[in-house]
Amino acid sequence: MHVRCTLIAAARSSALLAERFDDDRPLDQAGWGEVQRVAHALVPLAAAELRYCSPTPRSRATGDALGLAPLAQPALRDCDMGRWRGLTLGEAMAREPEAVDAWLADPYSAAHGGESLVGFIQRVGGWLDTRPADDGGRIVGVAEPAVVRAALVYALKAHPSAYWNLDVRPLSTVTLTGRAGRWNLRFEAQSERL
């Protein structure tokens, strides 16, 4: 029994340098434009038996714009950034430089009073491991790029520090196949999509 889970990184809600921790803003104009440009390539993912999204406005809007009608999953929310919620990295660094340094250096640190990187990765991995494993079952999930990064670290059983080396662009996709505790990363040609 195995499952095939394709994760889609939500379209953007701000320019890269204006990204905020645990951001609840909806898609911006550029994000809507990106969705319209790539929708034709991603619409076939709506054939998945189960369709999920993060509870954030941008993830829901991305999923809806792609015709997925996804079900919100609290486990797919972004990392809980505690008192840094709504701040940019630069703003957090200006307020608490030592705490930011500790958080970036130690994956077990929750210097912001929220969730550690390890806790975040485990939460997302727990969601992945509890997906129904019907043989050949197909799942699609739309979530923040950070959630996709966490899922990849978990699936590959990589060291948590690998999280910082993954660049997940808005509307990029990745497919994981397998079952609880045993995941494989699958690269597909466009002609192989669902």
Side-chain angles (χ1 to χ4, degrees), residues 109-132:
S109 172
H112 43 60
E115 191 173 27
S116 72
L117 181 60
V118 169
F120 174 49
I121 291 168
Q122 290 300 315
R123 172 173 47 84
V124 173
W127 176 86
L128 188 62
D129 280 348
T130 58
R131 294 310 86 209

mmCIF file with all atom_site columns, all heavy atoms in Angstrom, residues 109-132:
data_model
loop_
_atom_site.group_PDB
_atom_site.id
_atom_site.type_symbol
_atom_site.label_atom_id
_atom_site.label_alt_id
_atom_site.label_comp_id
_atom_site.label_asym_id
_atom_site.label_entity_id
_atom_site.label_seq_id
_atom_site.pdbx_PDB_ins_code
_atom_site.Cartn_x
_atom_site.Cartn_y
_atom_site.Cartn_z
_atom_site.occupancy
_atom_site.B_iso_or_equiv
_atom_site.pdbx_formal_charge
_atom_site.auth_seq_id
_atom_site.auth_comp_id
_atom_site.auth_asym_id
_atom_site.auth_atom_id
_atom_site.pdbx_PDB_model_num
ATOM 1   N N   . SER A 1 109 ? 15.840 25.068 18.717 1.00 0.00 ? 109 SER A N   1
ATOM 2   C CA  . SER A 1 109 ? 15.568 26.348 19.368 1.00 0.00 ? 109 SER A CA  1
ATOM 3   C C   . SER A 1 109 ? 14.185 26.873 18.998 1.00 0.00 ? 109 SER A C   1
ATOM 4   O O   . SER A 1 109 ? 13.771 26.819 17.844 1.00 0.00 ? 109 SER A O   1
ATOM 5   C CB  . SER A 1 109 ? 16.628 27.376 18.950 1.00 0.00 ? 109 SER A CB  1
ATOM 6   O OG  . SER A 1 109 ? 16.275 28.658 19.417 1.00 0.00 ? 109 SER A OG  1
ATOM 7   N N   . ALA A 1 110 ? 13.517 27.391 19.993 1.00 0.00 ? 110 ALA A N   1
ATOM 8   C CA  . ALA A 1 110 ? 12.248 28.105 19.782 1.00 0.00 ? 110 ALA A CA  1
ATOM 9   C C   . ALA A 1 110 ? 12.406 29.476 20.432 1.00 0.00 ? 110 ALA A C   1
ATOM 10  O O   . ALA A 1 110 ? 11.586 29.894 21.246 1.00 0.00 ? 110 ALA A O   1
ATOM 11  C CB  . ALA A 1 110 ? 11.083 27.321 20.364 1.00 0.00 ? 110 ALA A CB  1
ATOM 12  N N   . ALA A 1 111 ? 13.486 30.159 20.061 1.00 0.00 ? 111 ALA A N   1
ATOM 13  C CA  . ALA A 1 111 ? 13.848 31.437 20.677 1.00 0.00 ? 111 ALA A CA  1
ATOM 14  C C   . ALA A 1 111 ? 12.758 32.486 20.534 1.00 0.00 ? 111 ALA A C   1
ATOM 15  O O   . ALA A 1 111 ? 12.711 33.442 21.300 1.00 0.00 ? 111 ALA A O   1
ATOM 16  C CB  . ALA A 1 111 ? 15.156 31.949 20.056 1.00 0.00 ? 111 ALA A CB  1
ATOM 17  N N   . HIS A 1 112 ? 11.864 32.311 19.590 1.00 0.00 ? 112 HIS A N   1
ATOM 18  C CA  . HIS A 1 112 ? 10.778 33.257 19.354 1.00 0.00 ? 112 HIS A CA  1
ATOM 19  C C   . HIS A 1 112 ? 9.542  32.951 20.203 1.00 0.00 ? 112 HIS A C   1
ATOM 20  O O   . HIS A 1 112 ? 8.551  33.673 20.163 1.00 0.00 ? 112 HIS A O   1
ATOM 21  C CB  . HIS A 1 112 ? 10.382 33.263 17.880 1.00 0.00 ? 112 HIS A CB  1
ATOM 22  C CG  . HIS A 1 112 ? 10.308 31.891 17.284 1.00 0.00 ? 112 HIS A CG  1
ATOM 23  N ND1 . HIS A 1 112 ? 9.459  30.905 17.732 1.00 0.00 ? 112 HIS A ND1 1
ATOM 24  C CD2 . HIS A 1 112 ? 11.034 31.342 16.269 1.00 0.00 ? 112 HIS A CD2 1
ATOM 25  C CE1 . HIS A 1 112 ? 9.644  29.802 17.018 1.00 0.00 ? 112 HIS A CE1 1
ATOM 26  N NE2 . HIS A 1 112 ? 10.599 30.041 16.120 1.00 0.00 ? 112 HIS A NE2 1
ATOM 27  N N   . GLY A 1 113 ? 9.604  31.845 20.945 1.00 0.00 ? 113 GLY A N   1
ATOM 28  C CA  . GLY A 1 113 ? 8.470  31.474 21.795 1.00 0.00 ? 113 GLY A CA  1
ATOM 29  C C   . GLY A 1 113 ? 7.427  30.640 21.075 1.00 0.00 ? 113 GLY A C   1
ATOM 30  O O   . GLY A 1 113 ? 6.368  30.351 21.624 1.00 0.00 ? 113 GLY A O   1
ATOM 31  N N   . GLY A 1 114 ? 7.713  30.234 19.851 1.00 0.00 ? 114 GLY A N   1
ATOM 32  C CA  . GLY A 1 114 ? 6.772  29.424 19.077 1.00 0.00 ? 114 GLY A CA  1
ATOM 33  C C   . GLY A 1 114 ? 7.270  27.995 18.934 1.00 0.00 ? 114 GLY A C   1
ATOM 34  O O   . GLY A 1 114 ? 7.662  27.358 19.910 1.00 0.00 ? 114 GLY A O   1
ATOM 35  N N   . GLU A 1 115 ? 7.293  27.532 17.712 1.00 0.00 ? 115 GLU A N   1
ATOM 36  C CA  . GLU A 1 115 ? 7.627  26.147 17.387 1.00 0.00 ? 115 GLU A CA  1
ATOM 37  C C   . GLU A 1 115 ? 9.077  26.044 16.894 1.00 0.00 ? 115 GLU A C   1
ATOM 38  O O   . GLU A 1 115 ? 9.515  26.869 16.098 1.00 0.00 ? 115 GLU A O   1
ATOM 39  C CB  . GLU A 1 115 ? 6.660  25.719 16.277 1.00 0.00 ? 115 GLU A CB  1
ATOM 40  C CG  . GLU A 1 115 ? 6.599  24.296 15.914 1.00 0.00 ? 115 GLU A CG  1
ATOM 41  C CD  . GLU A 1 115 ? 5.468  24.044 14.912 1.00 0.00 ? 115 GLU A CD  1
ATOM 42  O OE1 . GLU A 1 115 ? 5.080  24.953 14.142 1.00 0.00 ? 115 GLU A OE1 1
ATOM 43  O OE2 . GLU A 1 115 ? 4.978  22.909 14.916 1.00 0.00 ? 115 GLU A OE2 1
ATOM 44  N N   . SER A 1 116 ? 9.800  25.047 17.346 1.00 0.00 ? 116 SER A N   1
ATOM 45  C CA  . SER A 1 116 ? 11.155 24.840 16.838 1.00 0.00 ? 116 SER A CA  1
ATOM 46  C C   . SER A 1 116 ? 11.090 24.292 15.415 1.00 0.00 ? 116 SER A C   1
ATOM 47  O O   . SER A 1 116 ? 10.051 23.764 14.984 1.00 0.00 ? 116 SER A O   1
ATOM 48  C CB  . SER A 1 116 ? 11.919 23.857 17.728 1.00 0.00 ? 116 SER A CB  1
ATOM 49  O OG  . SER A 1 116 ? 11.414 22.535 17.545 1.00 0.00 ? 116 SER A OG  1
ATOM 50  N N   . LEU A 1 117 ? 12.185 24.395 14.699 1.00 0.00 ? 117 LEU A N   1
ATOM 51  C CA  . LEU A 1 117 ? 12.249 23.847 13.347 1.00 0.00 ? 117 LEU A CA  1
ATOM 52  C C   . LEU A 1 117 ? 12.013 22.338 13.374 1.00 0.00 ? 117 LEU A C   1
ATOM 53  O O   . LEU A 1 117 ? 11.259 21.805 12.549 1.00 0.00 ? 117 LEU A O   1
ATOM 54  C CB  . LEU A 1 117 ? 13.598 24.172 12.702 1.00 0.00 ? 117 LEU A CB  1
ATOM 55  C CG  . LEU A 1 117 ? 13.805 23.680 11.276 1.00 0.00 ? 117 LEU A CG  1
ATOM 56  C CD1 . LEU A 1 117 ? 12.756 24.275 10.331 1.00 0.00 ? 117 LEU A CD1 1
ATOM 57  C CD2 . LEU A 1 117 ? 15.211 24.016 10.800 1.00 0.00 ? 117 LEU A CD2 1
ATOM 58  N N   . VAL A 1 118 ? 12.599 21.651 14.340 1.00 0.00 ? 118 VAL A N   1
ATOM 59  C CA  . VAL A 1 118 ? 12.397 20.206 14.460 1.00 0.00 ? 118 VAL A CA  1
ATOM 60  C C   . VAL A 1 118 ? 10.923 19.892 14.734 1.00 0.00 ? 118 VAL A C   1
ATOM 61  O O   . VAL A 1 118 ? 10.353 18.980 14.119 1.00 0.00 ? 118 VAL A O   1
ATOM 62  C CB  . VAL A 1 118 ? 13.306 19.603 15.555 1.00 0.00 ? 118 VAL A CB  1
ATOM 63  C CG1 . VAL A 1 118 ? 12.915 18.171 15.878 1.00 0.00 ? 118 VAL A CG1 1
ATOM 64  C CG2 . VAL A 1 118 ? 14.765 19.662 15.115 1.00 0.00 ? 118 VAL A CG2 1
ATOM 65  N N   . GLY A 1 119 ? 10.296 20.649 15.603 1.00 0.00 ? 119 GLY A N   1
ATOM 66  C CA  . GLY A 1 119 ? 8.874  20.437 15.890 1.00 0.00 ? 119 GLY A CA  1
ATOM 67  C C   . GLY A 1 119 ? 8.009  20.663 14.663 1.00 0.00 ? 119 GLY A C   1
ATOM 68  O O   . GLY A 1 119 ? 7.059  19.915 14.406 1.00 0.00 ? 119 GLY A O   1
ATOM 69  N N   . PHE A 1 120 ? 8.335  21.685 13.897 1.00 0.00 ? 120 PHE A N   1
ATOM 70  C CA  . PHE A 1 120 ? 7.621  21.993 12.659 1.00 0.00 ? 120 PHE A CA  1
ATOM 71  C C   . PHE A 1 120 ? 7.759  20.857 11.656 1.00 0.00 ? 120 PHE A C   1
ATOM 72  O O   . PHE A 1 120 ? 6.773  20.370 11.098 1.00 0.00 ? 120 PHE A O   1
ATOM 73  C CB  . PHE A 1 120 ? 8.168  23.314 12.107 1.00 0.00 ? 120 PHE A CB  1
ATOM 74  C CG  . PHE A 1 120 ? 7.648  23.728 10.757 1.00 0.00 ? 120 PHE A CG  1
ATOM 75  C CD1 . PHE A 1 120 ? 6.295  23.731 10.471 1.00 0.00 ? 120 PHE A CD1 1
ATOM 76  C CD2 . PHE A 1 120 ? 8.533  24.151 9.784  1.00 0.00 ? 120 PHE A CD2 1
ATOM 77  C CE1 . PHE A 1 120 ? 5.824  24.156 9.225  1.00 0.00 ? 120 PHE A CE1 1
ATOM 78  C CE2 . PHE A 1 120 ? 8.088  24.580 8.542  1.00 0.00 ? 120 PHE A CE2 1
ATOM 79  C CZ  . PHE A 1 120 ? 6.729  24.566 8.262  1.00 0.00 ? 120 PHE A CZ  1
ATOM 80  N N   . ILE A 1 121 ? 8.974  20.388 11.448 1.00 0.00 ? 121 ILE A N   1
ATOM 81  C CA  . ILE A 1 121 ? 9.222  19.285 10.507 1.00 0.00 ? 121 ILE A CA  1
ATOM 82  C C   . ILE A 1 121 ? 8.467  18.038 10.952 1.00 0.00 ? 121 ILE A C   1
ATOM 83  O O   . ILE A 1 121 ? 7.849  17.343 10.135 1.00 0.00 ? 121 ILE A O   1
ATOM 84  C CB  . ILE A 1 121 ? 10.737 19.017 10.373 1.00 0.00 ? 121 ILE A CB  1
ATOM 85  C CG1 . ILE A 1 121 ? 11.422 20.196 9.655  1.00 0.00 ? 121 ILE A CG1 1
ATOM 86  C CG2 . ILE A 1 121 ? 11.000 17.693 9.642  1.00 0.00 ? 121 ILE A CG2 1
ATOM 87  C CD1 . ILE A 1 121 ? 12.941 20.185 9.729  1.00 0.00 ? 121 ILE A CD1 1
ATOM 88  N N   . GLN A 1 122 ? 8.483  17.744 12.238 1.00 0.00 ? 122 GLN A N   1
ATOM 89  C CA  . GLN A 1 122 ? 7.785  16.562 12.753 1.00 0.00 ? 122 GLN A CA  1
ATOM 90  C C   . GLN A 1 122 ? 6.270  16.685 12.586 1.00 0.00 ? 122 GLN A C   1
ATOM 91  O O   . GLN A 1 122 ? 5.593  15.709 12.269 1.00 0.00 ? 122 GLN A O   1
ATOM 92  C CB  . GLN A 1 122 ? 8.146  16.321 14.219 1.00 0.00 ? 122 GLN A CB  1
ATOM 93  C CG  . GLN A 1 122 ? 9.569  15.846 14.419 1.00 0.00 ? 122 GLN A CG  1
ATOM 94  C CD  . GLN A 1 122 ? 9.851  14.535 13.701 1.00 0.00 ? 122 GLN A CD  1
ATOM 95  O OE1 . GLN A 1 122 ? 9.066  13.590 13.743 1.00 0.00 ? 122 GLN A OE1 1
ATOM 96  N NE2 . GLN A 1 122 ? 10.980 14.473 13.013 1.00 0.00 ? 122 GLN A NE2 1
ATOM 97  N N   . ARG A 1 123 ? 5.727  17.884 12.792 1.00 0.00 ? 123 ARG A N   1
ATOM 98  C CA  . ARG A 1 123 ? 4.283  18.082 12.614 1.00 0.00 ? 123 ARG A CA  1
ATOM 99  C C   . ARG A 1 123 ? 3.875  17.830 11.166 1.00 0.00 ? 123 ARG A C   1
ATOM 100 O O   . ARG A 1 123 ? 2.918  17.113 10.888 1.00 0.00 ? 123 ARG A O   1
ATOM 101 C CB  . ARG A 1 123 ? 3.874  19.495 13.039 1.00 0.00 ? 123 ARG A CB  1
ATOM 102 C CG  . ARG A 1 123 ? 2.422  19.799 12.683 1.00 0.00 ? 123 ARG A CG  1
ATOM 103 C CD  . ARG A 1 123 ? 1.917  21.107 13.236 1.00 0.00 ? 123 ARG A CD  1
ATOM 104 N NE  . ARG A 1 123 ? 2.735  22.272 13.081 1.00 0.00 ? 123 ARG A NE  1
ATOM 105 C CZ  . ARG A 1 123 ? 2.767  23.054 11.992 1.00 0.00 ? 123 ARG A CZ  1
ATOM 106 N NH1 . ARG A 1 123 ? 2.037  22.757 10.922 1.00 0.00 ? 123 ARG A NH1 1
ATOM 107 N NH2 . ARG A 1 123 ? 3.514  24.143 11.971 1.00 0.00 ? 123 ARG A NH2 1
ATOM 108 N N   . VAL A 1 124 ? 4.613  18.423 10.235 1.00 0.00 ? 124 VAL A N   1
ATOM 109 C CA  . VAL A 1 124 ? 4.301  18.228 8.817  1.00 0.00 ? 124 VAL A CA  1
ATOM 110 C C   . VAL A 1 124 ? 4.510  16.766 8.424  1.00 0.00 ? 124 VAL A C   1
ATOM 111 O O   . VAL A 1 124 ? 3.684  16.177 7.717  1.00 0.00 ? 124 VAL A O   1
ATOM 112 C CB  . VAL A 1 124 ? 5.143  19.182 7.941  1.00 0.00 ? 124 VAL A CB  1
ATOM 113 C CG1 . VAL A 1 124 ? 4.955  18.880 6.464  1.00 0.00 ? 124 VAL A CG1 1
ATOM 114 C CG2 . VAL A 1 124 ? 4.788  20.640 8.239  1.00 0.00 ? 124 VAL A CG2 1
ATOM 115 N N   . GLY A 1 125 ? 5.573  16.157 8.919  1.00 0.00 ? 125 GLY A N   1
ATOM 116 C CA  . GLY A 1 125 ? 5.815  14.741 8.637  1.00 0.00 ? 125 GLY A CA  1
ATOM 117 C C   . GLY A 1 125 ? 4.741  13.843 9.216  1.00 0.00 ? 125 GLY A C   1
ATOM 118 O O   . GLY A 1 125 ? 4.339  12.852 8.603  1.00 0.00 ? 125 GLY A O   1
ATOM 119 N N   . GLY A 1 126 ? 4.235  14.200 10.388 1.00 0.00 ? 126 GLY A N   1
ATOM 120 C CA  . GLY A 1 126 ? 3.134  13.435 10.984 1.00 0.00 ? 126 GLY A CA  1
ATOM 121 C C   . GLY A 1 126 ? 1.892  13.474 10.114 1.00 0.00 ? 126 GLY A C   1
ATOM 122 O O   . GLY A 1 126 ? 1.192  12.472 9.958  1.00 0.00 ? 126 GLY A O   1
ATOM 123 N N   . TRP A 1 127 ? 1.623  14.642 9.536  1.00 0.00 ? 127 TRP A N   1
ATOM 124 C CA  . TRP A 1 127 ? 0.485  14.751 8.610  1.00 0.00 ? 127 TRP A CA  1
ATOM 125 C C   . TRP A 1 127 ? 0.714  13.848 7.400  1.00 0.00 ? 127 TRP A C   1
ATOM 126 O O   . TRP A 1 127 ? -0.171 13.093 7.008  1.00 0.00 ? 127 TRP A O   1
ATOM 127 C CB  . TRP A 1 127 ? 0.291  16.203 8.161  1.00 0.00 ? 127 TRP A CB  1
ATOM 128 C CG  . TRP A 1 127 ? -0.796 16.343 7.148  1.00 0.00 ? 127 TRP A CG  1
ATOM 129 C CD1 . TRP A 1 127 ? -2.130 16.492 7.405  1.00 0.00 ? 127 TRP A CD1 1
ATOM 130 C CD2 . TRP A 1 127 ? -0.666 16.316 5.719  1.00 0.00 ? 127 TRP A CD2 1
ATOM 131 N NE1 . TRP A 1 127 ? -2.828 16.564 6.209  1.00 0.00 ? 127 TRP A NE1 1
ATOM 132 C CE2 . TRP A 1 127 ? -1.953 16.459 5.163  1.00 0.00 ? 127 TRP A CE2 1
ATOM 133 C CE3 . TRP A 1 127 ? 0.420  16.183 4.853  1.00 0.00 ? 127 TRP A CE3 1
ATOM 134 C CZ2 . TRP A 1 127 ? -2.186 16.474 3.793  1.00 0.00 ? 127 TRP A CZ2 1
ATOM 135 C CZ3 . TRP A 1 127 ? 0.197  16.206 3.484  1.00 0.00 ? 127 TRP A CZ3 1
ATOM 136 C CH2 . TRP A 1 127 ? -1.100 16.349 2.968  1.00 0.00 ? 127 TRP A CH2 1
ATOM 137 N N   . LEU A 1 128 ? 1.893  13.909 6.854  1.00 0.00 ? 128 LEU A N   1
ATOM 138 C CA  . LEU A 1 128 ? 2.220  13.096 5.679  1.00 0.00 ? 128 LEU A CA  1
ATOM 139 C C   . LEU A 1 128 ? 2.055  11.607 5.994  1.00 0.00 ? 128 LEU A C   1
ATOM 140 O O   . LEU A 1 128 ? 1.452  10.856 5.218  1.00 0.00 ? 128 LEU A O   1
ATOM 141 C CB  . LEU A 1 128 ? 3.650  13.400 5.233  1.00 0.00 ? 128 LEU A CB  1
ATOM 142 C CG  . LEU A 1 128 ? 4.140  12.807 3.942  1.00 0.00 ? 128 LEU A CG  1
ATOM 143 C CD1 . LEU A 1 128 ? 3.320  13.298 2.757  1.00 0.00 ? 128 LEU A CD1 1
ATOM 144 C CD2 . LEU A 1 128 ? 5.607  13.168 3.734  1.00 0.00 ? 128 LEU A CD2 1
ATOM 145 N N   . ASP A 1 129 ? 2.550  11.192 7.144  1.00 0.00 ? 129 ASP A N   1
ATOM 146 C CA  . ASP A 1 129 ? 2.491  9.775  7.522  1.00 0.00 ? 129 ASP A CA  1
ATOM 147 C C   . ASP A 1 129 ? 1.082  9.276  7.810  1.00 0.00 ? 129 ASP A C   1
ATOM 148 O O   . ASP A 1 129 ? 0.848  8.070  7.812  1.00 0.00 ? 129 ASP A O   1
ATOM 149 C CB  . ASP A 1 129 ? 3.363  9.507  8.754  1.00 0.00 ? 129 ASP A CB  1
ATOM 150 C CG  . ASP A 1 129 ? 4.838  9.385  8.413  1.00 0.00 ? 129 ASP A CG  1
ATOM 151 O OD1 . ASP A 1 129 ? 5.181  9.288  7.213  1.00 0.00 ? 129 ASP A OD1 1
ATOM 152 O OD2 . ASP A 1 129 ? 5.651  9.387  9.353  1.00 0.00 ? 129 ASP A OD2 1
ATOM 153 N N   . THR A 1 130 ? 0.156  10.159 8.047  1.00 0.00 ? 130 THR A N   1
ATOM 154 C CA  . THR A 1 130 ? -1.208 9.711  8.355  1.00 0.00 ? 130 THR A CA  1
ATOM 155 C C   . THR A 1 130 ? -2.161 9.837  7.166  1.00 0.00 ? 130 THR A C   1
ATOM 156 O O   . THR A 1 130 ? -3.376 9.668  7.332  1.00 0.00 ? 130 THR A O   1
ATOM 157 C CB  . THR A 1 130 ? -1.791 10.497 9.553  1.00 0.00 ? 130 THR A CB  1
ATOM 158 O OG1 . THR A 1 130 ? -1.772 11.893 9.255  1.00 0.00 ? 130 THR A OG1 1
ATOM 159 C CG2 . THR A 1 130 ? -1.005 10.209 10.831 1.00 0.00 ? 130 THR A CG2 1
ATOM 160 N N   . ARG A 1 131 ? -1.630 10.065 5.976  1.00 0.00 ? 131 ARG A N   1
ATOM 161 C CA  . ARG A 1 131 ? -2.495 10.095 4.790  1.00 0.00 ? 131 ARG A CA  1
ATOM 162 C C   . ARG A 1 131 ? -2.975 8.680  4.490  1.00 0.00 ? 131 ARG A C   1
ATOM 163 O O   . ARG A 1 131 ? -2.220 7.712  4.650  1.00 0.00 ? 131 ARG A O   1
ATOM 164 C CB  . ARG A 1 131 ? -1.761 10.644 3.560  1.00 0.00 ? 131 ARG A CB  1
ATOM 165 C CG  . ARG A 1 131 ? -1.342 12.106 3.614  1.00 0.00 ? 131 ARG A CG  1
ATOM 166 C CD  . ARG A 1 131 ? -2.449 13.065 4.013  1.00 0.00 ? 131 ARG A CD  1
ATOM 167 N NE  . ARG A 1 131 ? -2.522 13.151 5.470  1.00 0.00 ? 131 ARG A NE  1
ATOM 168 C CZ  . ARG A 1 131 ? -3.618 13.415 6.172  1.00 0.00 ? 131 ARG A CZ  1
ATOM 169 N NH1 . ARG A 1 131 ? -4.763 13.628 5.590  1.00 0.00 ? 131 ARG A NH1 1
ATOM 170 N NH2 . ARG A 1 131 ? -3.593 13.459 7.486  1.00 0.00 ? 131 ARG A NH2 1
ATOM 171 N N   . PRO A 1 132 ? -4.209 8.551  4.050  1.00 0.00 ? 132 PRO A N   1
ATOM 172 C CA  . PRO A 1 132 ? -4.729 7.218  3.714  1.00 0.00 ? 132 PRO A CA  1
ATOM 173 C C   . PRO A 1 132 ? -3.864 6.555  2.650  1.00 0.00 ? 132 PRO A C   1
ATOM 174 O O   . PRO A 1 132 ? -3.550 7.171  1.636  1.00 0.00 ? 132 PRO A O   1
ATOM 175 C CB  . PRO A 1 132 ? -6.133 7.505  3.169  1.00 0.00 ? 132 PRO A CB  1
ATOM 176 C CG  . PRO A 1 132 ? -6.468 8.871  3.634  1.00 0.00 ? 132 PRO A CG  1
ATOM 177 C CD  . PRO A 1 132 ? -5.179 9.608  3.804  1.00 0.00 ? 132 PRO A CD  1
#
